[in-house]
Amino acid sequence: MLGSTPRFLSYQAGESILHRLDARTKLLGTAVVVADALIASIPAGMAVAYALGLLIGLGAIHLLPALWRTLRPLLVLIALFGVLIVIITPGHALFRVGFIVASRPGLDLAIQLGLQSFLIIYTSSLLTLTTPPLAIAGALDWTLGFLRHLRFPVQDVIAMVAIGLTFVPLLIEETRKVIVAQRARGADLGMNAMLDENAMAALLIPLLLANLRRGEELAESMDARLYGVGERTSLHERHFRRDDLLAATVLAVFTATDVVISFWLHP
Amino acid sequence: MPILEHTGRQGLDVGPGEIVSVLGAPGSGKTELALELAFLKVPSHGEVLLRGINPLAQRRFFQLSSRPHDVTLLVQNAEDQLFARTVYDDVAFGPRHLGVAEDEVERRVIAALEAVGLGVGVRARSPFALSGGERRRVALAGVLAMEPVVLVLDEPTANLDPQARNEFLRFLAPLRGKSAIVWLTDSAREATLADRIYLLQNGMLQPVPAREALLTDWRRLAEAGIELPAVFQLARALDERGLILPPEGTPEAMRQAIINAWCESHAG
């Protein structure tokens, strides 16, 4: 269990097409794919959405094996929720095992939600894998900038998002350290620990405390370096290039196809 | 026969009741070695044997972990890992996980807290109400109360106040002569408190032939990146400036040698 935790969601430096795209393109593109997945009809619309997802994946093909390993455990979770949905949704019974009834609408819903959630997680993982946290923050700033006119503290919220994204690997590292320390004290932090309140406390309390402490130290050091004084500017200028135009075209074509198919041809 | 043996990294062994220290500069791989010795990490070279067998190789199907529970590790900055409501419960966490009966747990907790110099008063207090140094001692009491066959200490005195540093060996009293102790440190002075010493350099271990020889062989220590006692730092600086000094010696002998050499060079 130790040492095998994949660096979930964290940025991997590289030279792929996805790496080269402007962060704003990727951010908006991810939002578009999410929308595509949500409106897609089963099966035709979803096939279009998945084809788009596959095409995007080809833009960073060398990351796909690692991404697959990271997402595999999620499939199990999605499958478990799927089974639950099949069982608890009322409707025309497909079959029954004892008192458990599997319903037809439940099965449809489970398939739809399963496909949607996998595509959404897959696409957003590609975004965070190929985009440095600060670039995502910059893109968010550009996208949500209009909220500033409504006196919404966009910059601060984005700084929080950026810090949060940056600290994910550190959090994983920290978790590993606590697991090692508590195992050394005889705790068994395996699957059965999930059900043991004491074992969870042994894991969560040191983690929570470490994070609170780190947050406080970070806030103090940011204050010490005059964070929030004056207007924030950006070190890197952002440019849309031809690749971005191409990506936008591909997204638009697939989305249009998805809409036409899902709402008119095969709803 | 050694109770614990590392066959990789050119070898380390520790006998029952023995204190062995591993002296390594910061960044020499002490923490990794500690995890290997406590069966929390599989060594990349060689294997770690407990009573002559590798427990990790004995792993059976359906068994989550075959980590032996009589080997324990006090991690670096162990005070960060406390979590229970009271000091008592935190110290009792280990023994309870070993399945020790509650009256025996109580005896061990009281003995361990006494050994680390924390009075009766702290037992019912929250560990978070204590100072950093006191919390470290609570964490140490937690591993003492497990009465392990092998205890690995990863820089147990880092960030402690000088007095607690000097007294640290006394804190281990309940285990003395019973448990094998591996003490990883970057302080040459602390290392000499052990029965035997290994020098860790680039992840490789080398036994130091005689305990007394450690401080006298200061050129070797300097090469391994260990911070030297002040008198040797002075000797080194004078050495570089051409003052002729004996190649090795105890700190006292070195002090005298420096004085003599200085007087001679100024008398003439």
Side-chain angles (χ1 to χ4, degrees):
Chain A
M1 181 174 70
L2 291 166
S4 63
T5 320
R7 303 197 127 241
F8 188 58
L9 285 181
S10 59
Y11 173 65
Q12 309 281 322
E15 280 293 311
S16 71
I17 301 170
L18 281 192
H19 281 89
R20 280 202 306 273
L21 284 181
D22 191 288
R24 290 170 293 179
T25 314
K26 284 185 272 186
L27 184 72
L28 292 178
T30 307
V32 168
V33 176
V34 169
D36 284 354
L38 292 180
I39 60 155
S41 61
I42 306 283
M46 196 55 89
V48 175
Y50 265 78
L52 177 59
L54 201 66
L55 196 66
I56 294 172
L58 289 179
I61 195 161
H62 67 288
L63 288 176
L64 291 185
L67 182 60
W68 168 244
R69 275 197 301 280
T70 317
L71 295 185
R72 213 163 29 187
L74 272 168
L75 282 181
V76 179
L77 207 65
I78 291 175
L80 278 176
F81 272 109
V83 169
L84 199 66
I85 291 169
V86 171
I87 292 169
I88 61 170
T89 311
H92 173 69
L94 272 180
F95 60 89
R96 52 184 77 219
V97 184
F99 63 93
I100 298 169
V101 182
S103 72
R104 182 63 211 247
L107 186 66
D108 290 342
L109 188 63
I111 289 174
Q112 188 193 355
L113 288 178
L115 288 172
Q116 282 172 350
S117 43
F118 183 78
L119 187 61
I120 291 170
I121 296 166
Y122 160 85
T123 320
S124 34
S125 305
L126 274 176
L127 170 72
T128 51
L129 276 172
T130 60
T131 321
L134 277 177
I136 296 182
L140 267 174
D141 188 27
W142 181 82
T143 319
L144 300 177
F146 68 92
L147 287 174
R148 216 164 305 166
H149 302 300
L150 307 174
R151 297 187 178 277
F152 183 78
V154 184
Q155 289 280 359
D156 293 327
V157 170
I158 283 159
M160 283 190 246
V161 172
I163 291 168
L165 287 172
T166 321
F167 275 60
V168 168
L170 205 65
L171 196 66
I172 293 171
E173 196 55 41
E174 194 83 29
T175 314
R176 255 187 227 162
K177 238 167 76 182
V178 178
I179 289 176
V180 162
Q182 306 301 21
R183 279 185 74 205
R185 292 215 274 164
D188 204 0
L189 290 170
M191 275 310 265
N192 47 353
M194 299 275 228
L195 309 170
D196 180 354
E197 158 202 353
N198 212 1
M200 281 324 273
L203 179 62
L204 293 180
I205 293 179
L207 259 183
L208 193 70
L209 282 172
N211 282 310
L212 285 175
R213 201 176 322 120
R214 181 168 318 116
E216 208 175 302
E217 282 168 7
L218 188 67
E220 278 165 8
S221 72
M222 282 169 81
D223 270 342
R225 284 179 284 174
L226 301 183
Y227 174 84
V229 175
E231 202 189 332
R232 280 179 69 78
T233 52
S234 183
L235 177 63
H236 303 285
E237 281 189 28
R238 293 180 290 261
H239 294 291
F240 283 119
R241 282 193 299 262
R242 259 189 44 212
D243 287 347
D244 296 293
L245 188 66
L246 188 70
T249 317
V250 170
L251 283 167
V253 168
F254 271 87
T255 305
T257 318
D258 190 17
V259 168
V260 170
I261 288 181
S262 300
F263 288 106
W264 290 289
L265 296 181
H266 298 280
Chain B
M1 161 138 177
I3 181 100
L4 190 78
E5 192 179 356
H6 196 317
T7 63
R9 298 170 179 273
Q10 301 182 352
L12 173 145
D13 61 86
V14 50
E18 195 182 21
I19 298 192
V20 162
S21 65
V22 175
L23 178 60
S28 59
K30 288 194 292 292
T31 297
E32 200 184 335
L33 176 66
L35 293 180
E36 288 175 9
L37 291 174
F39 300 100
L40 289 160
K41 184 174 195 283
V42 179
S44 43
H45 295 289
E47 51 182 2
V48 180
L49 307 174
L50 179 68
R51 299 187 192 89
I53 52 168
N54 178 358
L56 297 183
Q58 311 284 310
R59 185 174 172 159
R60 284 190 211 95
F61 200 57
F62 279 135
Q63 210 176 357
L64 195 71
S65 154
S66 53
R67 206 186 87 75
H69 283 164
D70 39 9
V71 179
T72 191
L73 162 72
L74 184 72
V75 294
Q76 226 167 8
N77 300 328
E79 64 274 22
D80 293 344
Q81 312 297 350
L82 303 180
F83 68 94
R85 258 189 297 277
T86 64
V87 168
Y88 183 97
D89 281 332
D90 221 300
V91 177
F93 180 80
R96 280 179 185 151
H97 269 273
L98 296 178
V100 174
E102 199 57 34
D103 49 344
E104 169 70 3
V105 169
E106 189 177 341
R107 185 195 65 75
R108 287 189 185 190
V109 171
I110 292 169
L113 283 174
E114 208 169 292
V116 299
L118 291 173
V120 183
V122 301
R123 249 179 263 168
R125 286 172 65 183
S126 161
F128 307 115
L130 304 177
S131 76
E134 286 170 323
R135 285 212 304 275
R136 171 79 58 83
R137 289 195 251 170
V138 172
L140 176 66
V143 291
L144 293 180
M146 291 171 80
E147 301 191 351
V149 171
V150 181
L151 173 61
V152 183
L153 302 164
D154 187 3
E155 297 210 20
T157 64
N159 305 327
L160 278 188
D161 59 276
Q163 201 198 345
R165 245 169 200 267
N166 292 331
E167 287 180 345
F168 194 80
L169 200 62
R170 227 188 55 206
F171 293 164
L172 302 174
L175 300 184
R176 285 303 286 277
K178 283 183 263 176
S179 311
I181 296 174
V182 183
W183 181 341
L184 298 103
T185 176
D186 60 3
S187 150
R189 200 189 50 75
E190 269 174 20
T192 56
L193 298 174
D195 299 324
R196 281 190 298 124
I197 307 166
Y198 288 90
L199 203 56
L200 182 66
Q201 206 176 348
N202 303 325
M204 289 300 167
L205 290 156
Q206 274 178 307
V208 173
R211 184 165 58 150
E212 297 72 29
L214 179 74
L215 282 177
T216 62
D217 196 1
W218 53 277
R219 284 169 210 275
R220 188 174 165 195
L221 290 183
E223 196 186 306
I226 309 291
E227 197 182 324
L228 298 167
V231 65
F232 290 114
Q233 289 182 18
L234 177 64
R236 214 179 157 200
L238 292 172
D239 192 54
E240 278 165 12
R241 282 162 181 77
L243 198 70
I244 293 142
L245 291 168
E248 52 186 53
T250 62
E252 292 73 35
M254 186 58 76
R255 183 173 149 266
Q256 201 54 53
I258 292 172
I259 295 172
N260 292 344
W262 186 262
C263 291
E264 268 170 40
S265 67
H266 280 66

